[in-house]
Amino acid sequence: MRYHTFLEVNLGHLAGNLALIQRLAPHARLLPMVKADAYGNGMVPVAQFLVRDCGVRDLGCATLCEALKLMEDCPDLDARVFIFSDSELEDDKLSDAYLNFNFVPVLHNRRDLELVLTQTKFRNLPLILKLNTGMNRLGLSEADLIARLPRLKNRGVKHLMTHFARASIPLESDDLCRRQYAEFIRIRNFLANTGVAVEETSVSNSGAIEQNFGVEETFVRPGLMLYGPPSVLEPVFWTGKQVSRWVTRVLSTFEVKQGTPVGYGMNSADRDSSFAILPVGYGDGFLTFYSGVPLVLNGLRGRVFGRVNMDMTYFQFDSDQRGQLKVNDVVEIWNHDSRGITDLALQANTHAYQVMCAVTNRIPRVYKVS
Ligand SMILES: *Cc1c(COP(=O)(O)O)cnc(C)c1O
């Protein structure tokens, strides 16, 4: 663990982002994704806040075990929890959880659908069906539904959904979202015409919501945008605040002459330089890919120098910014302006999803409401 290095998670900003999302999708109910530890922000406190303080009634986990952890830590949480991918329906012991909690498995393959339709213990489980409309990862086909029409008709579909593969690309420059949505609507209409009742629907993740796409369905499923970063980057539509702020403080400072080798691998300083050592490394989720990436610390420009170590990182000041940070100065690796984390991600050839998920549990999450 660490003390002066922490991830401050501002729940007030989370509530603000949620309200902005509701404005983009005024008629939809919100199904916030809290999978992957709420994108690194801490699943349990985030989920608790969303349900108790923001009126959210539905949450999205990727795995059954995430949902079980949520219920273990807050047993009286009043929410329906969707299990999107790793639903463990085939494991008799684990799948009893669906009978004991308000968990609903998203059925995304024939095997799972068949299990839920045939096993008597699942006879009261609502049918949540995910369609493959072109992403070709998970999802049922139209043929899978046609083969089971009488049973679907009997039972009704509680929630029908699909997932977009390229929602982070502007709709003007790529028509995959539109084609996927058209396919979704076609299958939804087909079900309606054959007498299969569908109660709820959802299609939109962050990229789609940011572009007001699919927001007429009964639910939207925001993930990334809820935590701050935009999903669509060129142009940026989303104006939410970065919920987290990664705070640390300077461990050490030093100066070297040009050509002096520094640290593991002994990378030579390309010029007379001043350095600050930050007490964050890949053991904290400050990834090795950040090597060479420009950062601004307290307004001072520089870059990540040489190798990122397990426990620390070298920050080399730009030549006109020498020596203005002192030991114990508090600095932010990113702050509530989501451009910082987005730039860090882009410079490292990754995305804000991974940057946030990467922060390890050595970094305490500190919650703030304001
Ligand atoms: C993760 C996920 C989302 C949220 O995606 P973002 O791009 O983070 O908004 C929505 N729907 C499904 C099915 C998901 O798996």
Side-chain angles (χ1 to χ4, degrees), residues 31-33 35 39 61-62 84-85 106 130 137 161-164 167-168 202-210 220-227 231 353:
L31 165 38
M33 305 304 291
K35 62 188 176 185
Y39 292 47
C61 287
F84 274 89
S85 44
V106 175
K130 184 191 226 175
R137 179 178 66 174
M161 67 171 72
T162 193
H163 193 44
F164 295 134
S168 62
S202 67
V203 296
S204 298
N205 52 1
S206 295
I209 299 166
E210 288 167 24
V220 292
R221 307 189 305 261
L224 188 71
M225 69 190 311
L226 183 60
Y227 304 106
S231 181
Y353 294 86

Side-chain angles (χ1 to χ4, degrees), residues 28-29 31 129 157-162 181 184 188 198-204 214 216-221:
R29 286 165 65 187
L31 165 38
L129 307 185
V157 173
K158 179 73 181 177
H159 190 125
L160 188 72
M161 67 171 72
T162 193
Y181 196 24
F184 179 79
R188 189 183 67 194
V198 173
E199 200 176 316
E200 305 168 352
T201 54
S202 67
V203 296
S204 298
E216 310 303 328
E217 301 303 320
T218 48
F219 281 84
V220 292
R221 307 189 305 261

Side-chain angles (χ1 to χ4, degrees), residues 11 46 55 64 76 100 122-123 130 149 184 237 253 294 313 323:
L11 297 171
V46 163
L64 178 61
D76 53 350
N100 301 328
F122 292 138
R123 68 184 172 277
K130 184 191 226 175
L149 272 182
F184 179 79
F237 301 112
T253 62
T313 291

